[in-house]
């Protein structure tokens, strides 16, 4: 995607508000008792890259990759040197950019899978833009703002005006998109296994972006209470799909949702992992802050046996 995460809420969200990190174990092979020592390749979108978290690292600059994103933190904890660590994550990436170059507003990121080789021993992947969650959240914010404005003059648009736009006649458009992404993810996991047959692979789900219950997030997110619950439900459905696809492919799934519960974008500033529409800490809108990147790194490190429970 060419739009910068700093240009607008839509751009920030489109950079991967619901992608999922994948740390890959070769199907049919047990994980080694000791954590892998590299080479480590990080593939992914903006939740991997950590846009707006200082300092910017790597090329192209348009990927807005932080030197404090969770792959960098994992690599440091594993004691990897520069030759054994490649972070090719990029804001705006989709599953298609694994095999095709991705233009950005400041340079082109090569096809991410080109960083893999038979020497690769650890891979992380985070990708969720394929389901169009960016436009969904943007629309829900707009609907919420309009709903609050209408209620202030005596009109009521319902508890979940945005949900009503996506659910009709028993069909949930967002669920349909999640289901459609499964086959593309299967192909991506198969290609990772082909290019890096000795790599350890885990799928890491997204951290909690919103509370799980109807909550007034008007101050931080501008969402109607029912739409908060709806969006969280869609995220959990995405995470469930990612877990299922990982297990079917014979790779591991890492849960970051559970440790981040209560640390979503509507939580107190000093505990949240994800920033709200208007960030209060260095991070892109509705993206992980440095605390969130550290939290995801801890979950990955625990999964690869480099950190105690």
């Amino acid at each position: 995607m060419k739009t910068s995460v700093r240009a607008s809420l839509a751009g920030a969200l489109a950079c991967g508000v619901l992608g999922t990190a994948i740390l890959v174990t070769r199907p049919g092979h047990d994980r080694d008792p000791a954590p892998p020592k590299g080479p480590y390749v990080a593939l992914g979108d903006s939740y991997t890259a950590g846009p707006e978290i200082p300092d910017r690292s790597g090329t192209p600059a348009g990927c807005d990759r932080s030197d404090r994103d969770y792959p960098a933190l994992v690599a440091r904890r594993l004691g990897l040197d520069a030759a054994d660590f490649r972070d090719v994550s990029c804001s705006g990436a989709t599953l298609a950019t694994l095999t095709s170059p991705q233009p950005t507003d400041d340079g082109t990121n090569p096809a991410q899978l080109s960083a893999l080789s038979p020497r690769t021993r650890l891979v992380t992947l985070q990708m969720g833009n394929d389901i169009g969650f960016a436009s969904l959240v943007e629309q829900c914010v707009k609907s919420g703002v309009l709903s609050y404005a209408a209620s202030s003059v005596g009109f009521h648009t319902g508890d979940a005006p945005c949900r009503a736009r996506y659910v009709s006649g028993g069909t949930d458009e967002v669920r349909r998109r999640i289901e459609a992404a499964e086959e593309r993810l299967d192909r991506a996991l198969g290609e990772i296994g082909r290019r890096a047959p000795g790599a350890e692979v885990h799928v890491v789900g997204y951290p909690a972006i919103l509370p799980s219950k109807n909550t007034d997030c008007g101050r931080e997110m501008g969402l109607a209470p029912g739409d908060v619950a709806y969006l969280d439900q869609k995220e959990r459905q995405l995470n469930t799909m990612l877990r299922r696809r990982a297990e079917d492919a014979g790779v591991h799934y890492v849960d970051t949702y559970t440790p981040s519960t209560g640390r979503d974008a509507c939580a107190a500033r000093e505990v949240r992992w994800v920033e709200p529409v208007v960030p209060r800490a260095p991070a892109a809108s509705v993206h992980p802050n440095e605390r969130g990147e550290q939290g995801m790194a801890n979950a990955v490190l625990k999964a690869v046996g480099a950190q105690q429970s």
Side-chain angles (χ1 to χ4, degrees):
M1 175 184 293
K2 296 181 180 180
T3 304
S4 168
V5 293
R6 293 168 294 187
S8 64
L9 169 62
L13 294 168
C15 288
V17 77
L18 269 190
T20 289
I22 295 179
L23 176 60
V24 189
T25 330
R26 190 169 36 159
H29 291 255
D30 292 331
R31 203 158 36 92
D32 292 335
K37 291 299 182 182
Y40 166 32
V41 176
L43 316 168
D45 61 15
S46 58
Y47 262 57
T48 305
E52 306 298 331
I53 299 173
D55 289 325
R56 182 177 286 183
S57 175
T59 58
C63 285
D64 212 355
R65 195 181 300 131
S66 172
D67 65 358
R68 301 181 193 179
D69 65 10
Y70 77 78
L73 299 174
V74 167
R76 288 170 199 159
R77 177 63 179 82
L78 294 177
L80 302 181
D81 58 31
D84 281 338
F85 173 50
R86 294 282 306 280
D87 184 354
V88 293
S89 62
C90 191
S91 295
T94 65
L95 289 169
T97 63
L98 292 176
T99 54
S100 301
Q102 178 192 346
T104 74
D105 57 4
D106 191 356
T108 297
N109 202 41
Q112 293 192 25
L113 293 190
S114 65
L116 299 176
S117 79
R119 291 186 60 249
T120 304
R121 291 297 177 267
L122 181 63
V123 179
T124 60
L125 168 69
Q126 180 167 9
M127 214 68 81
N129 286 332
D130 295 66
I131 71 169
F133 205 82
S135 59
L136 170 65
V137 176
E138 181 187 11
Q139 183 59 56
C140 287
V141 169
K142 290 179 180 178
S143 296
V145 171
L146 291 173
S147 176
Y148 283 114
S151 64
S152 69
V153 293
F155 292 97
H156 299 284
T157 58
D159 188 52
C162 186
R163 180 184 183 278
R165 297 176 64 94
Y166 289 92
V167 180
S168 177
T171 300
D172 187 323
E173 174 63 19
V174 182
R175 176 185 284 276
R176 187 194 66 77
R177 295 174 187 174
I178 291 171
E179 292 170 349
E182 292 194 51
E183 184 177 350
R184 294 192 291 275
L185 179 58
D186 279 340
R187 290 197 298 268
L189 288 172
E191 186 63 16
I192 290 169
R194 187 184 72 80
R195 297 192 187 211
E200 182 174 301
V201 185
H202 295 238
V203 178
V204 181
Y206 262 70
I209 297 171
L210 293 165
S212 59
K213 299 180 180 179
N214 286 24
T215 302
D216 183 2
C217 283
R219 177 180 301 177
E220 298 287 14
M221 292 293 293
L223 294 167
D227 286 333
V228 172
Y230 175 68
L231 290 171
D232 176 72
Q233 179 188 60
K234 297 304 104 178
E235 181 189 357
R236 287 185 283 114
Q237 287 176 359
L238 176 63
N239 279 338
T240 296
M241 183 273 282
L242 293 163
R243 180 190 291 272
R244 182 170 62 248
R245 294 273 57 83
E247 292 174 350
D248 287 350
V251 304
H252 297 280
Y253 177 81
V254 179
D255 172 26
T256 65
Y257 185 95
T258 298
S260 62
T261 299
R263 300 175 181 275
D264 53 79
C266 296
R269 179 177 180 177
E270 62 273 13
V271 302
R272 61 185 172 221
W273 286 18
V274 176
E275 289 299 305
V277 170
V278 178
R280 308 297 179 85
S285 176
V286 198
H287 276 71
N289 53 31
E290 188 172 350
R291 186 183 299 110
E293 293 290 338
Q294 182 65 68
M296 290 191 287
N298 289 343
V300 171
L301 288 165
K302 180 179 177 182
V304 302
Q307 180 167 296
Q308 294 182 348
S309 302

